[in-house]
Amino acid sequence: MNNKSAAVPQQVKTAPSFFPAPEASFFAPAPQPAVQKAPTHVQPARIQRTPEDTGAMHEDLADEYRSSHGLTEEEGFSTGRIVYQLSDPVFVLNNEPHTSRLYSATVVAWSNTRAIWPVLNSPGARVTFVRYILQFDQTNCRPYHTGDASGEASCEATATALQTFENVCQGYATQMYTRYTSAPRADADTSSRLSSIARIDVGDVPVKFHIPIFIASVPGHAFNAVQIATDPADIHSYIFFEPQNDEVFTGDSATLRSGIYASAGMVTLSRLTSFNETGQYDQQDTHTFIIDSNNTFTGLVLSLEERLPISRIMGNIFIADDIATWRTLQASRPGTTYETIISETISNISDAILARVFPFLNGRRFRRTPGGVLETMDRTIFLSLMNRPSLESLIP
């Protein structure tokens, strides 16, 4: 799947303190000059035993904490309490911003073989950790078009920075998924095929960075989602991000409902299960979210036999608002009408599936031509478009 818009502009990355030099291992701490003194707060547990301990050696850490949280000396915790709490790595990971030096130092010191995600105790802390990963991962450095330069100095450490993916947006989303998933990971043969065929660099990401990440798909585009709360059938249990530019957005955002994302009203989450010798992606769907006329997403578990036809219906009902796809269709088949497109779309779709999708289309606005008059879908219009007498009894 390819992003139908122009290539997303690259963003400048602010490298954390452990960001690797070009010759260093990508996920290892960067070599530091011998004369550089380590921050005094990297191992505060050695100098702080109880909340009552305090002294001049703690002032810098306390001042940095108050500054990052917009507090004066009279506000918030005492200096002793601040240092005592910040000596606990779990407290830091659940309370500090991902941009703070203490957060970075805590992540670097965390064991590579122990996942951080299980100790994060709130959706907000999980979002912070995702933002931290996006801050150093360089998937967004890959150019959208072959031959384009990344244009960012922070991308130079990635050997593949000037190489695009074989299947552009699918490549971005799959690379992020295969690097960071906490689900069963790609074996050596699959990783080798992803590298040689799809130009996807899985890498050897430490366990501490493994998260419940998914590939999110809409008609014509792929991006990523991460589950941050417990109910997988609730759109609010996820955050989404665009791996081409690291933009993070939520289930309530206008971004998810617009443009190349779920403007047609449907987004599916999946895990990569295999990638074969012919370059085919095999993905296992977990949940599909469909939007209704109230702009609300409903989570459904659909079989492959249901999801694919429903996806085609949702995409083509709103095809006139997808200018790039409409133009491509008209270029290959000049004069093709909206009604012809719908007739061809549903030719092999059962009445039961058409009846199932109608409640999500009912009340939504659509056009039959780009820039044409907006109509509101209702039972009468839907049955007329479907042109199937047998469907009438299935739709109240």
Side-chain angles (χ1 to χ4, degrees), residues 13-72:
K13 292 223 177 206
T14 302
S17 59
F18 66 95
F19 201 77
E23 70 277 4
S25 172
F26 185 70
F27 292 97
Q32 299 294 326
V35 296
Q36 181 173 347
K37 183 180 178 181
T40 58
H41 63 267
V42 170
Q43 295 178 311
R46 292 187 177 182
I47 58 174
Q48 174 94 20
R49 299 301 180 190
T50 72
E52 288 69 38
D53 287 348
T54 188
M57 67 181 69
H58 302 143
E59 291 297 335
D60 288 345
L61 176 60
D63 288 346
E64 181 179 341
Y65 176 86
R66 292 188 180 101
S67 175
S68 66
H69 290 269
L71 301 173
T72 66

Side-chain angles (χ1 to χ4, degrees), residues 100-278:
S100 79
R101 290 190 296 141
L102 184 58
Y103 192 100
S104 177
T106 301
V107 174
V108 171
W110 195 272
S111 169
N112 281 343
T113 60
R114 180 190 176 200
I116 288 176
W117 195 263
V119 308
L120 304 177
N121 58 24
S122 70
R126 295 168 195 137
V127 173
T128 295
F129 188 58
V130 172
R131 290 186 182 278
Y132 182 83
I133 290 174
L134 294 176
Q135 177 179 263
F136 70 77
D137 181 88
Q138 295 185 329
T139 296
N140 77 309
C141 294
R142 299 284 284 272
Y144 187 84
H145 295 109
T146 300
D148 289 352
S150 65
E152 305 297 343
S154 63
C155 290
E156 292 176 359
T158 301
T160 54
L162 300 182
Q163 185 183 40
T164 191
F165 293 107
E166 182 274 333
N167 187 336
V168 187
C169 66
Q170 180 73 41
Y172 283 99
T174 302
Q175 178 160 294
M176 289 301 299
Y177 174 84
T178 54
R179 281 184 170 182
Y180 298 102
T181 181
S182 54
R185 302 173 66 78
D187 57 34
D189 289 341
T190 300
S191 294
S192 177
R193 287 193 294 270
L194 285 167
S195 176
S196 61
I197 300 173
R199 299 193 286 274
I200 289 171
D201 179 15
V202 176
D204 187 19
V205 178
V207 171
K208 66 182 173 183
F209 293 118
H210 293 183
I211 59 178
I213 190 173
F214 297 85
I215 297 171
S217 303
V218 296
H221 189 52
F223 49 110
N224 292 104
V226 178
Q227 187 175 342
I228 59 170
T230 57
D231 184 0
D234 186 350
I235 195 76
H236 301 100
S237 289
Y238 302 87
I239 58 165
F240 301 87
F241 68 87
E242 174 53 72
Q244 295 181 38
N245 66 355
D246 293 348
E247 178 188 1
V248 177
F249 46 97
T250 70
D252 287 328
S253 70
T255 299
L256 185 61
R257 292 162 167 77
S258 66
I260 61 174
Y261 299 103
S263 57
M266 183 173 178
V267 56
T268 296
L269 306 184
S270 62
R271 298 184 177 97
L272 183 74
T273 55
S274 68
F275 182 78
N276 65 26
E277 293 83 354
T278 61

